Amino acid sequence: MDLTAIKNPAFLKEMSNEELSELAASIRTFLIEKLSVTGGHLGANLGVVELSLALHKAFNSPQDKFIWDVGHQAYIHKILTGRTADFETLRQYKGMCGFPKRIESEHDVWETGHSSTSLSAAMGMASARDMMGENYEVVPIIGDGALTGGMALEALNNIGDEKKNITVILNDNEMSIANNVGALHHVLGRMRSAGKYKRAKDEMETLLKKIPAVGGKLATAAERMKDSMKYFMVPGMFFEELGFTYFGPVDGHNFQDLEEAINYAKKTKGPKIIHVVTQKGKGYQPAESDKTDNWHGVGPYKIESGEKIKSSATAPAWSKVISEAVLEKARTDKRIAVITPAMILGSKLENFKKEMPDRLFDVGIAEQHATTMAAGMATQGVKPFLAIYSTFLQRAYDQLLHDIARQNLNVFVGIDRAGFVGADGETHQGVYDISFLRAMPNFTIMMPKDENEAQHMVHTALAHEDGPIALRYPRGNALGVPVDDKTYALPIGSWEVLKEGTDAVILTFGTTIPLAMDASESLAADGISVRVVNARFIKPMDEAMLHEIFASDLPILTIEEAALKGGFGSGVMEFAEENGYNASSVKRMGIPDYFVEHGSVPEQMEEVGLTKENTIDSLRKILRMNEEQRA
């Protein structure tokens, strides 16, 4: 079948299971071929081909609302809603988003990127439906990993209590981004081996009622046995206790079983959950056999062997630099522990887990819990390293403020993927952490210029005994510079002059230092002398150096790969205002007040003006302005 001919999913309703199987095979082949070029979330999508087809056959999108939790597994949904041709541009600049996107299609009713939001969104849509007197189905699709998130459990509780007519699809592949952890994961494991509970219960009741004379009485008596039967057939009965009717477990790759379960659920009023067991990577041997989930999100690869096409970078990943530096310190300091919200692989903590498994705590997709757990450990003299992506740290704002900063606890927060993240786009950009952390009393924030300074910052953070400290580091690879044999603590709030200059000053840090150095060198050729400062401590700032700069009446350009609102540059202007200096001599470069979509990091930098050319233009403008003010 020509997948590009698909405009909407209505055609599926007339297809036999055999025809659906042929279509599933075509979709798998298409995904394996296309993603070998563009990269993307291969494993999760190969696992939900049959499920996606079965759902679109049984329901009527967009009248019925599909809500894909996280959204990375919605590629088949995109194919079935007329976007096959757009896969040429998947996750590329100005191309098709790798997640559901409302402006892309009327079938995308909810945008995602972070986990555990689908059930709350479903409750909202179902409540709106009932309030407005409308009639449509609300179908959230959530993975077993996302179900460990506290927000999902809160929503389950609310949906069950309110008896909302919602059909939850639990896609159980035993993995999220990595192997799932926690008690709920083990509950689902017991359910997988329990058999088809709902169908067996209904069939037994029907059979009893058919017995002449005594059948009705036996059926009535059997009502009193149902609870015992539940606990026997489905250990725990977690969902039924929450008020859901449970269907499953269902083979997520068997069209007949899927159709049967969905039809049962559609006939049942109130909240229900269909427990679907799928295999991540189904149909592609390298992904099927992967137990570490290296096929969750992939770059280009060779189809025949599954061999990843590696980048030319020779330096270690930033995540690796930081995690190895923490591990080195942990070998001689038994107080150091690591907490991660299901990101052992992403944050490169495999070696720490292997060497010190009793000091690494993977709490699952539970950022709020992870953050307060770190605070609790800190009260008992432990030095917790909370390794967490910038985008996911947003989910723990209250815990950072209320539980860590307010109590001034010695927690070391490793902010991974700080800055632009490229193809994952607006849902994952790590550009807001400076703005929200700067406002929190007691927090120290720093970012290194290279891996050598990074190891010294790890030393600084673990030696710090005066409250919480955050170390930002970007996605991608470090610079490959030589590193010192011994590490030492940097003076808190100290900056470093990288290049002297007498006409203007650039204040910057981390990933934008090379940009500043290049611009300074180019201006030097025109006789303009620009000082470049490594403002490695974003908070507190080097106030002695700022006083010297402002007293010299030099124009200042701040550059940050972060949101301008409330960012580092705002901090410099606040300093000027608080100390009676002329803040008009400060110009800021950074990320404007809108969400920057997917593309490569250089394309994203270009879009917001974080370029060498724009840096040079900005410096020339503030120099002219400074001269005009003096005239």
Side-chain angles (χ1 to χ4, degrees), residues 57-200:
K57 180 179 180 180
F59 295 98
N60 298 302
S61 177
Q63 291 79 20
D64 296 329
K65 315 302 180 187
F66 290 128
I67 306 172
W68 301 90
D69 203 280
V70 183
H72 63 297
Q73 77 286 48
Y75 292 4
I76 299 90
H77 166 78
K78 292 192 179 223
I79 290 171
L80 296 174
T81 53
R83 286 171 274 178
T84 303
D86 296 331
F87 274 80
E88 298 287 347
T89 65
L90 177 67
R91 291 159 44 95
Q92 296 175 32
Y93 191 63
K94 303 298 183 183
M96 186 170 70
C97 183
F99 300 96
K101 191 77 172 167
R102 294 173 71 203
I103 61 171
E104 272 187 17
S105 172
E106 63 179 346
H107 296 273
D108 293 3
V109 301
W110 182 252
E111 294 185 11
T112 43
H114 289 187
S115 81
S116 311
T117 66
S118 62
L119 301 184
S120 296
M123 181 62 181
M125 291 183 192
S127 298
R129 173 198 63 197
D130 298 345
M131 188 178 76
M132 302 299 290
E134 297 178 342
N135 182 28
Y136 53 82
E137 299 283 351
V138 179
V139 187
I141 303 99
I142 185 169
D144 49 321
L147 199 64
T148 65
M151 188 175 174
L153 299 177
E154 291 171 18
L156 278 177
N157 183 53
N158 187 210
I159 292 168
D161 183 59
E162 295 290 334
K163 307 298 182 187
K164 286 296 178 185
N165 191 36
I166 294 173
T167 302
V168 177
I169 307 298
L170 172 57
N171 174 33
D172 180 5
N173 59 25
E174 302 185 64
M175 299 182 83
S176 49
I177 294 178
N179 289 316
N180 289 324
V181 298
L184 184 56
H185 169 62
H186 297 302
V187 169
L188 294 176
R190 292 194 296 273
M191 288 182 180
R192 285 181 212 114
S193 60
K196 297 179 181 179
Y197 160 67
K198 185 62 168 67
R199 175 182 175 183

Side-chain angles (χ1 to χ4, degrees), residues 178 431 482 509 607:
V431 300
F509 52 88
E607 178 178 320

Side-chain angles (χ1 to χ4, degrees), residues 69-350:
D69 203 280
V70 183
H72 63 297
Q73 77 286 48
Y75 292 4
I76 299 90
H77 166 78
K78 292 192 179 223
I79 290 171
L80 296 174
T81 53
R83 286 171 274 178
T84 303
D86 296 331
F87 274 80
E88 298 287 347
T89 65
L90 177 67
R91 291 159 44 95
Q92 296 175 32
Y93 191 63
K94 303 298 183 183
M96 186 170 70
C97 183
F99 300 96
K101 191 77 172 167
R102 294 173 71 203
I103 61 171
E104 272 187 17
S105 172
E106 63 179 346
H107 296 273
D108 293 3
V109 301
W110 182 252
E111 294 185 11
T112 43
H114 289 187
S115 81
S116 311
T117 66
S118 62
L119 301 184
S120 296
M123 181 62 181
M125 291 183 192
S127 298
R129 173 198 63 197
D130 298 345
M131 188 178 76
M132 302 299 290
E134 297 178 342
N135 182 28
Y136 53 82
E137 299 283 351
V138 179
V139 187
I141 303 99
I142 185 169
D144 49 321
L147 199 64
T148 65
M151 188 175 174
L153 299 177
E154 291 171 18
L156 278 177
N157 183 53
N158 187 210
I159 292 168
D161 183 59
E162 295 290 334
K163 307 298 182 187
K164 286 296 178 185
N165 191 36
I166 294 173
T167 302
V168 177
I169 307 298
L170 172 57
N171 174 33
D172 180 5
N173 59 25
E174 302 185 64
M175 299 182 83
S176 49
I177 294 178
N179 289 316
N180 289 324
V181 298
L184 184 56
H185 169 62
H186 297 302
V187 169
L188 294 176
R190 292 194 296 273
M191 288 182 180
R192 285 181 212 114
S193 60
K196 297 179 181 179
Y197 160 67
K198 185 62 168 67
R199 175 182 175 183
K201 183 183 74 172
D202 290 348
E203 289 178 352
M204 180 174 287
E205 185 173 338
T206 300
L207 181 62
L208 286 173
K209 287 182 177 179
K210 288 182 179 179
I211 299 175
V214 298
K217 292 181 180 179
L218 284 174
T220 300
E223 288 291 327
R224 295 193 296 270
M225 299 171 59
K226 280 185 180 179
D227 283 343
S228 297
M229 181 180 171
K230 289 176 187 177
Y231 284 100
F232 172 73
M233 299 193 72
V234 186
M237 279 314 301
F238 177 81
F239 300 110
E240 297 240 1
E241 291 294 341
L242 285 171
F244 284 75
T245 302
Y246 173 83
F247 299 86
V250 179
D251 181 351
H253 304 295
N254 185 300
F255 284 113
Q256 182 175 340
D257 288 356
L258 285 167
E259 182 179 8
E260 180 181 279
I262 293 170
N263 286 338
Y264 261 108
K266 289 177 73 174
K267 294 174 184 176
T268 305
K269 296 300 181 183
K272 49 264 184 181
I273 189 159
I274 304 176
H275 181 184
V276 180
V277 179
T278 61
Q279 180 183 10
K280 207 165 186 178
K282 176 77 171 177
Y284 184 51
Q285 195 277 328
E288 280 188 8
S289 59
D290 175 37
K291 300 304 179 186
T292 59
D293 216 24
N294 286 318
W295 287 91
H296 170 73
V298 297
Y301 55 90
K302 297 178 181 178
I303 295 175
E304 297 77 10
S305 63
E307 179 185 351
K308 309 292 175 59
I309 300 174
K310 298 179 180 179
S311 71
S312 57
T314 57
W318 273 108
S319 301
K320 188 80 168 178
V321 169
I322 303 301
S323 66
E324 291 298 311
V326 172
L327 175 59
E328 181 63 28
K329 294 299 180 185
R331 291 185 178 119
T332 57
D333 188 344
K334 65 180 182 180
R335 300 176 302 159
I336 297 172
V338 172
I339 304 174
T340 175
M343 298 306 296
I344 289 176
L345 296 178
S347 292
K348 308 296 183 188
L349 294 165
E350 302 99 313

Side-chain angles (χ1 to χ4, degrees), residues 495-507 531-533 541-556 572 575-576 579 581-582 585 630:
W495 290 354
E496 173 190 32
V497 176
L498 300 176
K499 184 176 183 295
E500 290 290 356
T502 55
D503 295 323
V505 180
I506 298 176
L507 303 177
R531 186 191 309 178
V532 178
V533 175
M541 297 186 292
D542 191 330
E543 295 195 358
M545 188 178 293
L546 280 173
H547 278 299
E548 181 268 318
I549 292 170
F550 277 106
S552 301
D553 200 25
L554 292 175
I556 299 168
V572 173
F575 174 87
N579 289 278
Y581 295 118
N582 179 15
S585 65
R630 288 175 176 175

Side-chain angles (χ1 to χ4, degrees), residues 420 434 505-509 512 515-516 519 556-565 567-570 572-573 586-592 605-622:
F420 283 130
I434 292 176
V505 180
I506 298 176
L507 303 177
T508 190
F509 52 88
T512 47
L515 171 71
I556 299 168
L557 177 65
T558 68
I559 308 176
E560 56 194 306
E561 191 183 323
L564 282 170
K565 299 282 188 181
F568 168 74
S570 294
V572 173
M573 297 188 78
V586 180
K587 181 174 177 58
R588 300 172 302 137
M589 287 176 59
I591 299 173
M605 296 281 277
E606 175 83 25
E607 178 178 320
V608 301
L610 288 173
T611 64
K612 172 185 172 181
E613 293 73 23
N614 199 41
T615 301
I616 292 171
D617 288 344
S618 296
L619 283 165
R620 290 187 186 279
K621 286 177 183 177
I622 58 174

